[in-house]
Amino acid sequence: MKIEQIYTGCIAQAAYYIENNGEAAIIDPLREVQPYLDRAAKDHAKIKYIFETHFHADFVSGHLDLAKKSGGKIVYGPTAKPEFEAIIATDNQEFKVGNYIVKAIHTPGHTIESTCYLLTDETGKPHGIITGDTLFIGDVGRPDLAQALVDDLTQEKLASYLFDSLRNKIMPLSDDLIVYPSHGAGSACGKNMSKETTDTLGNQKKTNYALRADMTREEFTKELLDGLGLPPAYFPQNVMLNIQGYESLDSVIEKSNKGLTPVEFELLANQSGAVLLDVRHEDDFVKKHIPNSIFIGIHGNFAPWVGALLADVKQPILLVVPEGRVEETITRLSRVGFDNVLGFLEGGIVAWEQADFETDSVDSIKPEQFASELSKTSIVVDARKPSEYDAEHLENAVNIPLDSINSNFSAVPQNETFYLHCAGGYRSVIMSSILKSRGYHNLINVEKGMNGIRGAGVPLTQFVCPSTQK
């Protein structure tokens, strides 16, 4: 069967392309749709359908732009109520793509309208199932996202729906079906996803904790909800954009790709209350940046961190970007609904300095220097996730996860100088920039994070691991 997974690692998202006999379908497309149009054109195929597994929370789908440009029909599962023209499939409704059959299987739980699509090839043999956020490799979708929009959809109620969907709709299917999920490791839509992005259903029945045959509804609900953190604040906003519609990406790029002189940049920053978002490498940011700007590097998990830390998709943004990466930055922001980019600093930091504007820097040291300075009385803040901290951390280090910083400033040391690290040096610079923008200048960033610290000669007695914790 001709099916291609189009995986975007920076947001851990998978879209799918299927084609047969001159007809094609796209499942869960990203906001930028030209690659799908190009892929269909390569096969001399017409996009007939755009299937959506649910109203996505972690990214803005490209369904509307793709439908407009391709003429394909948007398809949602039962109970979906989009505010635009779409086919609302009934449970088990079949759609033909060439000689392939795509069957909609309603699987509520992650959300009420969540739907999987069973793929049958031209010989009539079921080949695979596109599971959206219902079933991942190693995990299942979190059931706490819809309650932000509908009060009576508690996470417990949705977990119970998901239990039934998995056992009554998915698990009875053939073991040799290939599972094609919408996300992999790194997505906030689950908590235990594998780095693998496909698997057989039979292997998932053996290895996925949520598919244990002897699991009770109560056990399922308890294990599913255990350890779930709060969903990022931008998730409900992305859901509404996917339900209500949004501005065309072409228009967003056209209005946002606007070069500004340093004088124009500063004036607009003061007038608009825009966030100054610096997306260069962390090594460049620590050396020199515009005062009060926020660092989130384009080379990392950029869009999810913007969504988690800026939160409001309507927030005005002014960009400081590496040369040649303006449109890429605007596009990646748009994937999570941040369409209000007012422009970018033409010429970057060099132009800013040449205009005699002030710059700032982050006190930053190499792991070897940190090792030589570290003592029992040193104050250390660890910006990693709680699970990373629990696995291994420096003795007496305080864990303040980066994604909690905006609601957790009270935990930050106020008057004494402290060291700040993460795993590899990316998140600690993000946190440093946020803290400095809030007036905290009593910090020293540790370059390369825990990865560098381990090899820098820090005494092993300074490390706390599960085997040594009391």
Side-chain angles (χ1 to χ4, degrees):
M1 186 170 195
K2 189 170 186 176
I3 175 170
E4 294 180 19
Q5 184 184 73
I6 304 169
Y7 197 79
T8 305
C10 61
I11 59 171
Q13 190 270 344
Y16 294 92
Y17 168 83
I18 62 175
E19 186 274 333
N20 181 259
N21 201 28
E23 293 184 340
I26 309 294
I27 300 92
D28 290 345
L30 279 184
R31 184 85 179 267
E32 63 272 27
V33 301
Q34 193 58 46
Y36 311 120
L37 297 168
D38 293 343
R39 185 65 191 85
K42 183 179 178 182
D43 286 337
H44 305 288
K46 177 177 175 58
I47 295 175
K48 185 177 183 181
Y49 294 115
I50 302 146
F51 293 103
E52 291 284 346
T53 57
H54 63 295
F55 292 122
H56 307 283
D58 60 315
F59 70 98
V60 177
S61 175
H63 54 298
L64 291 175
D65 277 356
L66 187 55
K68 182 178 180 181
K69 292 186 176 185
S70 71
K73 301 297 184 182
I74 301 169
V75 180
Y76 281 96
T79 77
K81 297 178 181 179
E83 298 182 12
F84 44 82
E85 184 178 351
I87 297 171
I88 307 304
T90 57
D91 194 18
N92 295 316
Q93 183 174 347
E94 295 182 347
F95 299 84
K96 291 202 71 176
V97 179
N99 293 318
Y100 296 161
I101 294 175
V102 181
K103 180 191 284 188
I105 301 176
H106 189 209
T107 51
H110 174 66
T111 64
I112 286 295
E113 78 286 347
S114 286
T115 297
C116 298
Y117 294 100
L118 182 66
L119 308 177
T120 300
D121 68 18
E122 64 268 40
T123 70
K125 177 179 171 56
H127 165 83
I129 184 165
I130 294 175
T131 54
D133 287 18
T134 295
L135 175 62
F136 300 125
I137 308 305
D139 201 0
V140 292
R142 59 190 297 168
D144 62 332
L145 301 183
Q147 63 183 347
L149 302 172
V150 183
D151 290 338
D152 66 346
L153 283 178
T154 65
Q155 59 184 12
E156 289 79 12
K157 184 181 290 188
L158 284 163
S160 182
Y161 292 159
L162 184 56
F163 178 84
D164 289 332
S165 292
L166 292 167
R167 275 145 187 81
N168 299 333
K169 299 289 190 73
I170 304 297
M171 292 175 68
L173 298 173
S174 175
D175 284 355
D176 63 359
L177 280 180
I178 299 174
V179 175
Y180 296 105
S182 283
H183 294 295
S187 169
C189 291
K191 62 179 181 179
N192 193 42
M193 280 180 260
S194 168
K195 292 182 180 179
E196 301 299 322
T197 58
T198 61
D199 195 8
T200 63
L201 181 57
N203 194 52
Q204 282 304 293
K205 291 176 188 178
K206 295 176 183 177
T207 60
N208 191 319
Y209 78 95
L211 302 188
R212 294 200 310 271
D214 61 348
M215 202 176 205
T216 67
R217 188 183 304 271
E218 291 71 25
E219 289 171 336
F220 175 84
T221 300
K222 183 178 185 302
E223 292 190 39
L224 182 59
L225 299 183
D226 183 48
L228 277 183
L230 291 174
Y234 76 99
F235 272 27
Q237 299 171 72
N238 276 200
V239 171
M240 294 311 298
L241 286 168
N242 284 320
I243 292 174
Q244 296 173 343
Y246 47 78
E247 187 175 2
S248 167
L249 178 58
D250 294 340
S251 298
V252 171
I253 291 174
E254 183 178 357
K255 74 175 184 180
S256 300
N257 194 348
K258 180 180 179 182
L260 301 168
T261 67
V263 172
E264 292 170 333
F265 189 89
E266 185 194 43
L267 181 63
L268 193 52
N270 292 333
Q271 290 176 341
S272 66
V275 167
L276 310 186
L277 183 61
D278 192 322
V279 309
R280 299 173 299 149
H281 195 277
E282 58 264 27
D283 292 346
D284 297 318
F285 183 86
V286 298
K287 292 173 185 175
K288 201 171 292 181
H289 58 264
I290 297 173
N292 298 319
S293 57
I294 302 300
F295 163 79
I296 304 178
I298 191 71
H299 60 285
N301 290 333
F302 173 66
W305 278 122
V306 170
L309 297 169
L310 299 191
D312 183 2
V313 298
K314 296 180 181 179
Q315 169 66 53
I317 294 171
L318 286 165
L319 294 172
V320 179
V321 299
E323 186 176 355
R325 302 189 74 175
V326 176
E327 186 168 325
E328 176 193 354
T329 303
I330 295 167
T331 299
R332 290 173 67 175
L333 286 169
S334 76
R335 288 176 181 167
V336 288
F338 285 79
D339 292 350
N340 197 11
V341 173
L342 306 182
F344 67 96
L345 178 60
E346 189 84 63
I349 290 297
V350 173
W352 185 261
E353 283 193 299
Q354 289 175 345
D356 291 328
F357 284 113
E358 181 184 358
T359 62
D360 198 357
S361 61
V362 177
D363 288 337
S364 191
I365 60 174
K366 296 186 181 301
E368 294 76 15
Q369 184 178 348
F370 173 68
S372 68
E373 295 179 5
L374 183 64
S375 69
K376 290 287 185 180
T377 60
S378 297
I379 302 174
V380 179
V381 171
D382 187 330
R384 298 175 300 160
K385 295 185 292 186
S387 59
E388 295 172 280
Y389 178 86
D390 290 342
E392 178 187 45
H393 61 264
L394 293 171
E395 188 176 12
N396 300 322
V398 177
N399 185 213
I400 307 177
L402 173 59
D403 60 4
S404 73
I405 186 59
N406 287 325
S407 60
N408 208 13
F409 287 109
S410 61
V412 179
Q414 303 288 319
N415 302 312
E416 298 178 84
T417 298
F418 64 94
Y419 299 97
L420 175 60
H421 78 84
C422 59
Y426 179 80
R427 285 174 286 176
S428 65
V429 178
I430 297 176
M431 186 179 286
S432 296
S433 71
I434 293 171
L435 291 173
K436 286 177 68 67
S437 73
R438 295 296 188 101
Y440 293 83
H441 300 287
N442 54 321
L443 61 90
I444 300 173
N445 176 64
V446 182
E447 298 171 8
K448 300 181 181 178
M450 186 64 85
N451 295 338
I453 292 169
R454 286 193 202 96
V458 175
L460 293 178
T461 54
Q462 292 279 38
F463 287 90
V464 178
C465 302
S467 59
T468 61
Q469 292 186 52
K470 297 181 180 178

